[in-house]
């Protein structure tokens, strides 16, 4: 019997997308979901964070937000080539920019205009279905553990059978540490609350929004908690499919 919480074929090898329609669709996913991007320059060890703020198909351009830290701008002005890497729902989306970026503006904010990539690497690395939550159904969560002086409260943005994405107010980079296991993660899901240890896998702070975004993996879940998580994911999956079906008619 197949597991409804996993893709049929599991993780896939990387694919190179060259069709413009596929490239545009994946770039727009990164833009619309405000997924953080990692920027690296060739022959440099430093990593920078940015966001994709615009995809302009007519002009053949994309706009990247200001780099964090902002001293990366001098590498862009020098015309150095760089690599962009983002993750959306377990999929790694990456490309290289060989042509110089130009400093400009988008909707009144500083940005960097770059040519649309001619090809994009697409790598489905997770085999668990990840269900996004609507703005009206975001789940309140609380993260606590022996290394925290006080619990941290936020909301859940999406969830799979193996982990979830969280949002917090303010900059938590000084309080939370990636790779750390936090013993008490509580989520007040509509079907009932769960409490389980979790491992913090990713953490980023968006200065403009004033919010931190985190990716966590469930750690040593009890059988009962796992069943409740899977039941909630399955419920969201059914709702999403029903919504997609309604959209067709």
């Amino acid at each position: 019997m197949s597991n409804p919480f996993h893709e049929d074929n599991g993780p896939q090898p990387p694919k190179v997308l060259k069709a413009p329609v596929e490239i545009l669709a994946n770039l727009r996913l990164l833009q619309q979901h405000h997924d953080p991007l990692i920027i690296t320059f060739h022959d440099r060890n430093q990593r920078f964070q940015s966001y994709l703020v615009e995809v302009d198909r007519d002009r053949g351009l994309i706009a990247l937000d200001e780099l964090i830290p902002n001293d990366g701008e001098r590498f862009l002005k020098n015309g150095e080539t760089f690599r962009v890497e983002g993750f959306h729902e377990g999929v790694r989306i990456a490309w290289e920019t060989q042509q110089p970026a130009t400093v400009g503006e988008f909707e009144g904010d500083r940005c960097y205009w770059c040519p649309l990539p001619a090809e994009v690497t697409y790598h489905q690395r997770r085999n668990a279905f990840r269900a996004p939550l609507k703005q009206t159904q975001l789940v309140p969560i609380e993260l606590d553990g022996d290394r925290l002086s006080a619990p941290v409260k936020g909301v859940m943005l999406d969830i799979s059978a193996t982990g979830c994405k969280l949002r917090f107010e303010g900059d938590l980079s000084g309080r939370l540490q990636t790779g750390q296991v936090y013993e008490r993660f509580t989520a007040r899901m509509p079907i009932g609350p769960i409490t389980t240890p979790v491992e913090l896998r990713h953490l980023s702070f968006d200065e403009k929004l004033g919010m931190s975004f985190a990716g966590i993996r469930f750690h040593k879940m009890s059988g009962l908690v796992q069943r409740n998580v899977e039941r909630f994911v399955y419920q969201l999956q059914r709702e999403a499919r029903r919504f997609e079906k309604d959209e067709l008619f």
Side-chain angles (χ1 to χ4, degrees), residues 52-72:
L52 186 55
V53 295
E54 174 66 346
V55 178
D56 191 328
R57 180 178 185 176
D58 295 334
R59 295 167 60 199
L61 296 173
I62 60 174
L64 298 176
D65 201 0
E66 291 185 89
L67 299 192
I68 302 170
N70 60 14
D71 57 342

Side-chain angles (χ1 to χ4, degrees), residues 129 131-139 159 190-191 231-247:
F129 173 82
L133 281 75
K134 299 173 185 175
Q135 281 295 121
T136 54
Q137 62 179 181
L138 299 183
V139 172
I159 184 170
I191 63 172
R231 197 173 58 154
F232 184 44
V233 173
Y234 185 52
Q235 177 181 311
L236 291 171
Q237 188 178 20
R238 288 182 63 186
E239 288 177 4
R241 285 177 175 167
R242 187 166 62 245
F243 177 76
E244 288 172 4
K245 186 177 178 182
D246 291 343
E247 286 285 289

Side-chain angles (χ1 to χ4, degrees), residues 188-200:
R188 295 199 290 277
M189 301 188 305
I191 63 172
I194 61 161
T195 300
T196 184
V198 295
E199 178 190 356
L200 182 64

Side-chain angles (χ1 to χ4, degrees), residues 10 22 31 73 84 92 112 126 182:
E22 290 185 308
Q31 175 198 357
E73 183 173 303
V84 184
R92 177 177 174 268
Y112 312 111
R126 180 194 295 117
Y182 295 94

Side-chain angles (χ1 to χ4, degrees), residues 44-55:
R44 298 187 185 276
N45 295 325
Q46 194 172 1
R47 291 154 61 94
F48 301 89
Q49 181 178 294
S50 184
Y51 294 89
L52 186 55
V53 295
E54 174 66 346
V55 178

Side-chain angles (χ1 to χ4, degrees), residues 48-120:
F48 301 89
Q49 181 178 294
S50 184
Y51 294 89
L52 186 55
V53 295
E54 174 66 346
V55 178
D56 191 328
R57 180 178 185 176
D58 295 334
R59 295 167 60 199
L61 296 173
I62 60 174
L64 298 176
D65 201 0
E66 291 185 89
L67 299 192
I68 302 170
N70 60 14
D71 57 342
E73 183 173 303
R74 60 192 171 98
F75 303 142
L76 287 175
K77 287 182 174 179
N78 288 342
E80 297 186 26
T81 59
F82 58 93
R83 184 168 184 79
V84 184
E85 181 180 51
F87 293 87
H88 180 74
E89 296 185 2
V91 176
R92 177 177 174 268
I93 301 171
W95 66 93
E96 298 218 13
T97 299
Q98 302 289 344
Q99 297 170 266
T102 57
V103 179
E105 282 194 359
F106 176 70
E107 295 184 347
D109 292 320
R110 192 177 183 83
C111 74
Y112 312 111
W113 291 102
C114 315
L116 268 169
E119 59 182 46
V120 164

Side-chain angles (χ1 to χ4, degrees), residues 160-221:
S160 76
T162 57
C164 55
K165 184 176 180 179
L166 311 174
R167 186 183 72 203
F168 302 94
E169 295 286 340
D171 185 359
L172 296 185
S173 56
R175 296 185 62 188
L176 301 180
Q177 183 179 353
T178 54
Q180 179 66 45
V181 172
Y182 295 94
E183 295 83 1
R184 295 174 295 282
F185 167 79
T186 301
R188 295 199 290 277
M189 301 188 305
I191 63 172
I194 61 161
T195 300
T196 184
V198 295
E199 178 190 356
L200 182 64
R201 302 302 302 273
H202 307 287
L203 180 67
S204 62
F205 174 61
D206 186 314
E207 289 184 347
K208 289 186 177 179
L209 295 177
M211 294 179 180
S212 294
F213 296 87
I216 62 169
R217 182 191 293 272
F218 299 129
H219 184 75
K220 295 181 179 178
M221 279 194 297

